[in-house]
Amino acid sequence: MSTEQTTAAEGFSYALTRVLDAPVARVWEAWTTPDQYAQWAHAAPGSVEMDVRPGGAWKSTMLTPDGGAFPLTGSYVEVAEPHRLVLGMDVPGRPDPATMSLELTEQDPDRTEIVLRQTSDTAEERDMAEQGSGMLLDGLAEFLADKARG
């Protein structure tokens, strides 16, 4: 996995890159199907809803390692199946949603490069978002490996 951070005039961003042992279509399905997403993204059972189309809403309640629950809501900004997904995430006290982009590129028929990018208002927000995204990618990689073993 590689990590890239920047501090641009318009915000603090990061990009996480990882190669997953699964075809692009399987990675896309894991990210856009509520029951699969809930299994790997540390979501509370039954909390994930997805209307995967531009303008469609999504929501989930994430469970933290210490047992807390963190409700998340937002909408899909861009959906280009199976290669690009841009999510808007509602942030309390912020007028515009934060956005996170996901890009999938086939490395070979059974491997996919995934790049997650997000820009935040502060370095602290960026670091927290990057940590959460890293946990998501860890869960996704484990889920896909378990599915491949089958």
Short mmCIF file of all heavy atoms in Angstrom, two decimals, residues 6-62:
data_model
loop_
_atom_site.label_atom_id
_atom_site.label_comp_id
_atom_site.label_asym_id
_atom_site.label_seq_id
_atom_site.Cartn_x
_atom_site.Cartn_y
_atom_site.Cartn_z
N THR A 6 -0.92 15.68 0.75
CA THR A 6 -0.55 17.01 0.28
C THR A 6 -1.21 18.05 1.17
O THR A 6 -2.21 17.79 1.82
CB THR A 6 -1.01 17.24 -1.18
OG1 THR A 6 -2.42 17.11 -1.25
CG2 THR A 6 -0.35 16.27 -2.13
N THR A 7 -0.63 19.22 1.19
CA THR A 7 -1.22 20.37 1.87
C THR A 7 -1.33 21.48 0.84
O THR A 7 -0.43 22.29 0.69
CB THR A 7 -0.36 20.82 3.07
OG1 THR A 7 0.97 21.02 2.62
CG2 THR A 7 -0.37 19.80 4.17
N ALA A 8 -2.43 21.48 0.13
CA ALA A 8 -2.66 22.47 -0.92
C ALA A 8 -3.42 23.65 -0.34
O ALA A 8 -4.00 23.57 0.74
CB ALA A 8 -3.47 21.85 -2.05
N ALA A 9 -3.43 24.73 -1.09
CA ALA A 9 -4.12 25.94 -0.64
C ALA A 9 -5.61 25.67 -0.43
O ALA A 9 -6.24 26.28 0.43
CB ALA A 9 -3.92 27.06 -1.65
N GLU A 10 -6.18 24.73 -1.20
CA GLU A 10 -7.62 24.46 -1.09
C GLU A 10 -7.96 23.34 -0.10
O GLU A 10 -9.10 22.94 0.01
CB GLU A 10 -8.20 24.15 -2.47
CG GLU A 10 -7.60 22.96 -3.17
CD GLU A 10 -6.34 23.31 -3.97
OE1 GLU A 10 -5.98 24.49 -4.09
OE2 GLU A 10 -5.71 22.37 -4.47
N GLY A 11 -6.97 22.82 0.61
CA GLY A 11 -7.29 21.82 1.61
C GLY A 11 -6.16 20.82 1.79
O GLY A 11 -5.14 20.87 1.12
N PHE A 12 -6.38 19.91 2.71
CA PHE A 12 -5.41 18.87 3.04
C PHE A 12 -5.93 17.56 2.46
O PHE A 12 -7.03 17.14 2.78
CB PHE A 12 -5.26 18.76 4.55
CG PHE A 12 -4.70 20.01 5.19
CD1 PHE A 12 -5.52 21.07 5.51
CD2 PHE A 12 -3.34 20.12 5.44
CE1 PHE A 12 -5.02 22.23 6.08
CE2 PHE A 12 -2.82 21.26 6.00
CZ PHE A 12 -3.65 22.32 6.32
N SER A 13 -5.15 16.92 1.61
CA SER A 13 -5.64 15.73 0.93
C SER A 13 -4.75 14.53 1.17
O SER A 13 -3.60 14.66 1.60
CB SER A 13 -5.79 15.98 -0.57
OG SER A 13 -4.53 16.22 -1.15
N TYR A 14 -5.30 13.36 0.87
CA TYR A 14 -4.52 12.13 0.89
C TYR A 14 -4.99 11.26 -0.26
O TYR A 14 -6.09 11.42 -0.79
CB TYR A 14 -4.66 11.39 2.23
CG TYR A 14 -6.02 10.77 2.45
CD1 TYR A 14 -6.31 9.49 1.98
CD2 TYR A 14 -7.00 11.47 3.12
CE1 TYR A 14 -7.56 8.94 2.17
CE2 TYR A 14 -8.25 10.91 3.32
CZ TYR A 14 -8.53 9.65 2.85
OH TYR A 14 -9.77 9.11 3.03
N ALA A 15 -4.12 10.34 -0.63
CA ALA A 15 -4.45 9.30 -1.60
C ALA A 15 -3.85 8.00 -1.08
O ALA A 15 -2.67 7.96 -0.75
CB ALA A 15 -3.88 9.62 -2.98
N LEU A 16 -4.67 6.99 -0.96
CA LEU A 16 -4.22 5.65 -0.56
C LEU A 16 -4.33 4.75 -1.77
O LEU A 16 -5.38 4.70 -2.42
CB LEU A 16 -5.08 5.09 0.57
CG LEU A 16 -5.07 5.82 1.90
CD1 LEU A 16 -6.02 5.14 2.88
CD2 LEU A 16 -3.67 5.87 2.48
N THR A 17 -3.28 4.02 -2.06
CA THR A 17 -3.26 3.10 -3.20
C THR A 17 -2.94 1.70 -2.70
O THR A 17 -2.01 1.53 -1.91
CB THR A 17 -2.19 3.53 -4.23
OG1 THR A 17 -2.48 4.88 -4.64
CG2 THR A 17 -2.20 2.62 -5.44
N ARG A 18 -3.70 0.75 -3.20
CA ARG A 18 -3.47 -0.64 -2.82
C ARG A 18 -3.86 -1.53 -4.00
O ARG A 18 -4.76 -1.19 -4.76
CB ARG A 18 -4.33 -1.00 -1.60
CG ARG A 18 -3.96 -2.33 -1.00
CD ARG A 18 -4.71 -2.61 0.28
NE ARG A 18 -4.34 -1.64 1.31
CZ ARG A 18 -4.74 -1.73 2.56
NH1 ARG A 18 -5.53 -2.71 2.94
NH2 ARG A 18 -4.38 -0.83 3.44
N VAL A 19 -3.19 -2.67 -4.14
CA VAL A 19 -3.56 -3.66 -5.14
C VAL A 19 -4.26 -4.80 -4.43
O VAL A 19 -3.74 -5.36 -3.45
CB VAL A 19 -2.34 -4.15 -5.94
CG1 VAL A 19 -2.74 -5.24 -6.92
CG2 VAL A 19 -1.70 -2.99 -6.70
N LEU A 20 -5.47 -5.12 -4.89
CA LEU A 20 -6.31 -6.16 -4.29
C LEU A 20 -6.32 -7.39 -5.18
O LEU A 20 -6.32 -7.27 -6.41
CB LEU A 20 -7.74 -5.63 -4.12
CG LEU A 20 -7.87 -4.37 -3.28
CD1 LEU A 20 -9.27 -3.79 -3.42
CD2 LEU A 20 -7.54 -4.66 -1.82
N ASP A 21 -6.36 -8.56 -4.58
CA ASP A 21 -6.39 -9.82 -5.31
C ASP A 21 -7.82 -10.20 -5.65
O ASP A 21 -8.38 -11.16 -5.11
CB ASP A 21 -5.71 -10.93 -4.50
CG ASP A 21 -4.22 -10.71 -4.38
OD1 ASP A 21 -3.60 -10.25 -5.36
OD2 ASP A 21 -3.66 -10.97 -3.30
N ALA A 22 -8.42 -9.42 -6.55
CA ALA A 22 -9.79 -9.66 -7.01
C ALA A 22 -10.01 -8.87 -8.30
O ALA A 22 -9.40 -7.81 -8.48
CB ALA A 22 -10.80 -9.23 -5.95
N PRO A 23 -10.88 -9.36 -9.17
CA PRO A 23 -11.20 -8.61 -10.39
C PRO A 23 -11.94 -7.31 -10.07
O PRO A 23 -12.59 -7.19 -9.03
CB PRO A 23 -12.12 -9.56 -11.17
CG PRO A 23 -12.08 -10.87 -10.48
CD PRO A 23 -11.56 -10.64 -9.10
N VAL A 24 -11.85 -6.35 -10.98
CA VAL A 24 -12.52 -5.06 -10.81
C VAL A 24 -14.00 -5.23 -10.47
O VAL A 24 -14.52 -4.59 -9.56
CB VAL A 24 -12.33 -4.17 -12.06
CG1 VAL A 24 -13.25 -2.97 -12.03
CG2 VAL A 24 -10.89 -3.72 -12.19
N ALA A 25 -14.69 -6.10 -11.20
CA ALA A 25 -16.13 -6.27 -10.99
C ALA A 25 -16.44 -6.74 -9.57
O ALA A 25 -17.42 -6.30 -8.96
CB ALA A 25 -16.72 -7.26 -11.99
N ARG A 26 -15.60 -7.60 -9.00
CA ARG A 26 -15.83 -8.09 -7.64
C ARG A 26 -15.59 -6.99 -6.61
O ARG A 26 -16.31 -6.87 -5.62
CB ARG A 26 -14.95 -9.30 -7.33
CG ARG A 26 -15.31 -9.91 -5.97
CD ARG A 26 -14.63 -11.21 -5.69
NE ARG A 26 -14.98 -12.20 -6.71
CZ ARG A 26 -14.13 -13.11 -7.18
NH1 ARG A 26 -12.89 -13.17 -6.73
NH2 ARG A 26 -14.52 -13.97 -8.08
N VAL A 27 -14.55 -6.16 -6.86
CA VAL A 27 -14.28 -5.04 -5.95
C VAL A 27 -15.44 -4.04 -6.00
O VAL A 27 -15.92 -3.57 -4.97
CB VAL A 27 -12.94 -4.36 -6.30
CG1 VAL A 27 -12.71 -3.14 -5.41
CG2 VAL A 27 -11.78 -5.35 -6.17
N TRP A 28 -15.91 -3.72 -7.20
CA TRP A 28 -17.04 -2.80 -7.36
C TRP A 28 -18.27 -3.33 -6.61
O TRP A 28 -18.93 -2.59 -5.89
CB TRP A 28 -17.35 -2.61 -8.84
CG TRP A 28 -18.49 -1.66 -9.08
CD1 TRP A 28 -19.81 -1.99 -9.18
CD2 TRP A 28 -18.43 -0.24 -9.20
NE1 TRP A 28 -20.58 -0.86 -9.38
CE2 TRP A 28 -19.74 0.22 -9.40
CE3 TRP A 28 -17.37 0.67 -9.19
CZ2 TRP A 28 -20.03 1.58 -9.58
CZ3 TRP A 28 -17.68 2.01 -9.36
CH2 TRP A 28 -18.99 2.45 -9.55
N GLU A 29 -18.56 -4.60 -6.79
CA GLU A 29 -19.73 -5.21 -6.14
C GLU A 29 -19.60 -5.15 -4.62
O GLU A 29 -20.56 -4.83 -3.91
CB GLU A 29 -19.87 -6.66 -6.60
CG GLU A 29 -21.04 -7.38 -5.99
CD GLU A 29 -21.14 -8.83 -6.44
OE1 GLU A 29 -20.18 -9.36 -7.04
OE2 GLU A 29 -22.19 -9.43 -6.18
N ALA A 30 -18.41 -5.41 -4.10
CA ALA A 30 -18.20 -5.36 -2.65
C ALA A 30 -18.42 -3.95 -2.11
O ALA A 30 -18.91 -3.77 -0.99
CB ALA A 30 -16.79 -5.83 -2.30
N TRP A 31 -18.10 -2.93 -2.91
CA TRP A 31 -18.22 -1.54 -2.47
C TRP A 31 -19.63 -0.98 -2.65
O TRP A 31 -20.00 -0.01 -2.00
CB TRP A 31 -17.23 -0.67 -3.23
CG TRP A 31 -16.93 0.61 -2.50
CD1 TRP A 31 -17.73 1.73 -2.48
CD2 TRP A 31 -15.82 0.91 -1.68
NE1 TRP A 31 -17.15 2.70 -1.71
CE2 TRP A 31 -15.98 2.22 -1.20
CE3 TRP A 31 -14.69 0.19 -1.30
CZ2 TRP A 31 -15.06 2.83 -0.36
CZ3 TRP A 31 -13.78 0.80 -0.48
CH2 TRP A 31 -13.96 2.10 -0.02
N THR A 32 -20.44 -1.59 -3.53
CA THR A 32 -21.73 -0.99 -3.88
C THR A 32 -22.94 -1.88 -3.56
O THR A 32 -24.06 -1.53 -3.94
CB THR A 32 -21.78 -0.62 -5.38
OG1 THR A 32 -21.57 -1.81 -6.16
CG2 THR A 32 -20.72 0.42 -5.73
N THR A 33 -22.73 -2.99 -2.88
CA THR A 33 -23.82 -3.87 -2.48
C THR A 33 -23.94 -3.81 -0.96
O THR A 33 -22.98 -4.15 -0.25
CB THR A 33 -23.53 -5.32 -2.94
OG1 THR A 33 -23.29 -5.31 -4.34
CG2 THR A 33 -24.69 -6.24 -2.62
N PRO A 34 -25.09 -3.37 -0.42
CA PRO A 34 -25.20 -3.14 1.02
C PRO A 34 -24.78 -4.32 1.90
O PRO A 34 -24.04 -4.13 2.86
CB PRO A 34 -26.68 -2.79 1.23
CG PRO A 34 -27.09 -2.19 -0.08
CD PRO A 34 -26.31 -2.96 -1.13
N ASP A 35 -25.22 -5.53 1.58
CA ASP A 35 -24.88 -6.66 2.47
C ASP A 35 -23.39 -6.96 2.42
O ASP A 35 -22.79 -7.28 3.46
CB ASP A 35 -25.72 -7.89 2.15
CG ASP A 35 -25.49 -8.43 0.75
OD1 ASP A 35 -25.25 -7.64 -0.17
OD2 ASP A 35 -25.55 -9.67 0.59
N GLN A 36 -22.75 -6.84 1.25
CA GLN A 36 -21.31 -7.07 1.18
C GLN A 36 -20.55 -5.94 1.88
O GLN A 36 -19.63 -6.20 2.66
CB GLN A 36 -20.85 -7.19 -0.27
CG GLN A 36 -21.29 -8.49 -0.92
CD GLN A 36 -20.63 -8.71 -2.26
OE1 GLN A 36 -19.46 -8.38 -2.46
NE2 GLN A 36 -21.39 -9.26 -3.20
N TYR A 37 -20.93 -4.70 1.63
CA TYR A 37 -20.27 -3.55 2.26
C TYR A 37 -20.31 -3.68 3.79
O TYR A 37 -19.30 -3.48 4.46
CB TYR A 37 -20.93 -2.26 1.80
CG TYR A 37 -20.28 -1.01 2.34
CD1 TYR A 37 -19.20 -0.44 1.68
CD2 TYR A 37 -20.73 -0.41 3.50
CE1 TYR A 37 -18.59 0.71 2.16
CE2 TYR A 37 -20.13 0.73 4.00
CZ TYR A 37 -19.06 1.29 3.32
OH TYR A 37 -18.46 2.42 3.82
N ALA A 38 -21.45 -4.06 4.31
CA ALA A 38 -21.59 -4.19 5.77
C ALA A 38 -20.63 -5.22 6.34
O ALA A 38 -20.15 -5.07 7.47
CB ALA A 38 -23.03 -4.56 6.12
N GLN A 39 -20.33 -6.27 5.57
CA GLN A 39 -19.46 -7.33 6.06
C GLN A 39 -18.02 -6.89 6.24
O GLN A 39 -17.31 -7.39 7.11
CB GLN A 39 -19.50 -8.53 5.11
CG GLN A 39 -20.83 -9.25 5.12
CD GLN A 39 -20.82 -10.39 4.12
OE1 GLN A 39 -19.93 -11.24 4.14
NE2 GLN A 39 -21.80 -10.40 3.23
N TRP A 40 -17.53 -5.98 5.40
CA TRP A 40 -16.12 -5.62 5.47
C TRP A 40 -15.85 -4.21 5.97
O TRP A 40 -14.72 -3.89 6.34
CB TRP A 40 -15.43 -5.82 4.11
CG TRP A 40 -15.96 -4.98 2.99
CD1 TRP A 40 -16.90 -5.35 2.08
CD2 TRP A 40 -15.57 -3.66 2.64
NE1 TRP A 40 -17.14 -4.32 1.20
CE2 TRP A 40 -16.32 -3.29 1.51
CE3 TRP A 40 -14.65 -2.76 3.18
CZ2 TRP A 40 -16.19 -2.04 0.91
CZ3 TRP A 40 -14.52 -1.52 2.57
CH2 TRP A 40 -15.28 -1.18 1.46
N ALA A 41 -16.86 -3.36 6.02
CA ALA A 41 -16.63 -1.95 6.33
C ALA A 41 -16.93 -1.60 7.79
O ALA A 41 -17.09 -0.43 8.12
CB ALA A 41 -17.46 -1.07 5.40
N HIS A 42 -17.02 -2.61 8.65
CA HIS A 42 -17.26 -2.37 10.07
C HIS A 42 -18.59 -1.63 10.30
O HIS A 42 -18.68 -0.74 11.15
CB HIS A 42 -16.11 -1.60 10.70
CG HIS A 42 -14.76 -2.13 10.37
ND1 HIS A 42 -14.29 -3.32 10.88
CD2 HIS A 42 -13.79 -1.67 9.54
CE1 HIS A 42 -13.07 -3.55 10.40
NE2 HIS A 42 -12.76 -2.57 9.58
N ALA A 43 -19.61 -1.99 9.53
CA ALA A 43 -20.92 -1.35 9.65
C ALA A 43 -21.84 -2.18 10.55
O ALA A 43 -21.75 -3.41 10.58
CB ALA A 43 -21.56 -1.19 8.28
N ALA A 44 -22.72 -1.49 11.25
CA ALA A 44 -23.71 -2.18 12.08
C ALA A 44 -24.65 -2.97 11.17
O ALA A 44 -25.07 -2.47 10.12
CB ALA A 44 -24.50 -1.16 12.89
N PRO A 45 -24.98 -4.20 11.55
CA PRO A 45 -25.89 -5.01 10.73
C PRO A 45 -27.20 -4.26 10.48
O PRO A 45 -27.78 -3.66 11.38
CB PRO A 45 -26.12 -6.26 11.59
CG PRO A 45 -24.91 -6.34 12.47
CD PRO A 45 -24.53 -4.91 12.75
N GLY A 46 -27.64 -4.28 9.22
CA GLY A 46 -28.90 -3.64 8.84
C GLY A 46 -28.85 -2.14 8.68
O GLY A 46 -29.86 -1.52 8.36
N SER A 47 -27.68 -1.53 8.87
CA SER A 47 -27.60 -0.06 8.82
C SER A 47 -27.24 0.49 7.44
O SER A 47 -27.34 1.69 7.22
CB SER A 47 -26.57 0.45 9.83
OG SER A 47 -25.25 0.17 9.41
N VAL A 48 -26.82 -0.36 6.52
CA VAL A 48 -26.32 0.11 5.23
C VAL A 48 -27.46 0.19 4.21
O VAL A 48 -28.16 -0.79 3.97
CB VAL A 48 -25.20 -0.80 4.69
CG1 VAL A 48 -24.71 -0.30 3.33
CG2 VAL A 48 -24.04 -0.87 5.68
N GLU A 49 -27.61 1.37 3.61
CA GLU A 49 -28.56 1.58 2.52
C GLU A 49 -27.81 2.30 1.41
O GLU A 49 -27.06 3.24 1.68
CB GLU A 49 -29.75 2.42 2.98
CG GLU A 49 -30.60 1.74 4.04
CD GLU A 49 -31.77 2.60 4.50
OE1 GLU A 49 -32.15 3.55 3.77
OE2 GLU A 49 -32.28 2.33 5.60
N MET A 50 -28.03 1.85 0.16
CA MET A 50 -27.32 2.44 -0.97
C MET A 50 -28.24 2.57 -2.18
O MET A 50 -28.87 1.59 -2.57
CB MET A 50 -26.14 1.55 -1.38
CG MET A 50 -25.09 1.37 -0.35
SD MET A 50 -23.85 0.19 -0.96
CE MET A 50 -22.52 0.53 0.19
N ASP A 51 -28.29 3.76 -2.74
CA ASP A 51 -28.98 4.00 -4.01
C ASP A 51 -27.88 4.47 -4.96
O ASP A 51 -27.64 5.67 -5.12
CB ASP A 51 -30.06 5.06 -3.82
CG ASP A 51 -30.83 5.36 -5.09
OD1 ASP A 51 -30.62 4.66 -6.10
OD2 ASP A 51 -31.63 6.32 -5.07
N VAL A 52 -27.17 3.49 -5.55
CA VAL A 52 -25.94 3.77 -6.29
C VAL A 52 -26.25 4.33 -7.68
O VAL A 52 -26.34 3.60 -8.66
CB VAL A 52 -25.06 2.50 -6.39
CG1 VAL A 52 -23.72 2.84 -7.04
CG2 VAL A 52 -24.84 1.89 -5.01
N ARG A 53 -26.45 5.64 -7.71
CA ARG A 53 -26.66 6.40 -8.94
C ARG A 53 -26.35 7.85 -8.59
O ARG A 53 -26.44 8.24 -7.42
CB ARG A 53 -28.09 6.26 -9.45
CG ARG A 53 -29.13 6.77 -8.48
CD ARG A 53 -30.55 6.61 -8.98
NE ARG A 53 -31.47 7.01 -7.95
CZ ARG A 53 -31.84 8.28 -7.71
NH1 ARG A 53 -31.37 9.27 -8.44
NH2 ARG A 53 -32.68 8.56 -6.73
N PRO A 54 -25.95 8.66 -9.57
CA PRO A 54 -25.68 10.07 -9.25
C PRO A 54 -26.88 10.71 -8.56
O PRO A 54 -28.01 10.60 -9.04
CB PRO A 54 -25.40 10.69 -10.63
CG PRO A 54 -24.90 9.54 -11.45
CD PRO A 54 -25.71 8.36 -10.98
N GLY A 55 -26.64 11.31 -7.41
CA GLY A 55 -27.70 11.93 -6.62
C GLY A 55 -28.37 10.97 -5.65
O GLY A 55 -29.13 11.40 -4.78
N GLY A 56 -28.12 9.68 -5.78
CA GLY A 56 -28.71 8.69 -4.88
C GLY A 56 -28.09 8.78 -3.49
O GLY A 56 -26.92 9.13 -3.33
N ALA A 57 -28.88 8.46 -2.48
CA ALA A 57 -28.43 8.57 -1.09
C ALA A 57 -27.78 7.27 -0.61
O ALA A 57 -28.07 6.19 -1.12
CB ALA A 57 -29.61 8.92 -0.19
N TRP A 58 -26.92 7.40 0.38
CA TRP A 58 -26.37 6.25 1.08
C TRP A 58 -26.31 6.58 2.56
O TRP A 58 -26.29 7.73 2.96
CB TRP A 58 -24.97 5.86 0.55
CG TRP A 58 -23.92 6.92 0.77
CD1 TRP A 58 -23.56 7.91 -0.10
CD2 TRP A 58 -23.12 7.11 1.94
NE1 TRP A 58 -22.58 8.69 0.45
CE2 TRP A 58 -22.28 8.22 1.70
CE3 TRP A 58 -23.00 6.45 3.16
CZ2 TRP A 58 -21.37 8.68 2.64
CZ3 TRP A 58 -22.09 6.91 4.09
CH2 TRP A 58 -21.29 8.02 3.83
N LYS A 59 -26.31 5.52 3.38
CA LYS A 59 -26.11 5.72 4.81
C LYS A 59 -25.62 4.41 5.42
O LYS A 59 -25.86 3.32 4.89
CB LYS A 59 -27.37 6.21 5.52
CG LYS A 59 -28.47 5.19 5.68
CD LYS A 59 -29.62 5.78 6.48
CE LYS A 59 -30.62 4.72 6.84
NZ LYS A 59 -31.67 5.22 7.72
N SER A 60 -24.91 4.54 6.51
CA SER A 60 -24.45 3.39 7.28
C SER A 60 -24.07 3.88 8.68
O SER A 60 -23.83 5.06 8.89
CB SER A 60 -23.26 2.70 6.61
OG SER A 60 -22.13 3.54 6.63
N THR A 61 -24.04 2.94 9.59
CA THR A 61 -23.56 3.24 10.94
C THR A 61 -22.29 2.42 11.14
O THR A 61 -22.34 1.18 11.14
CB THR A 61 -24.61 2.89 12.01
OG1 THR A 61 -25.78 3.69 11.76
CG2 THR A 61 -24.09 3.17 13.40
N MET A 62 -21.19 3.11 11.27
CA MET A 62 -19.91 2.44 11.43
C MET A 62 -19.68 2.13 12.91
O MET A 62 -20.01 2.95 13.77
CB MET A 62 -18.77 3.32 10.90
CG MET A 62 -19.00 3.82 9.48
SD MET A 62 -19.50 2.58 8.29
CE MET A 62 -17.95 1.77 8.03
#
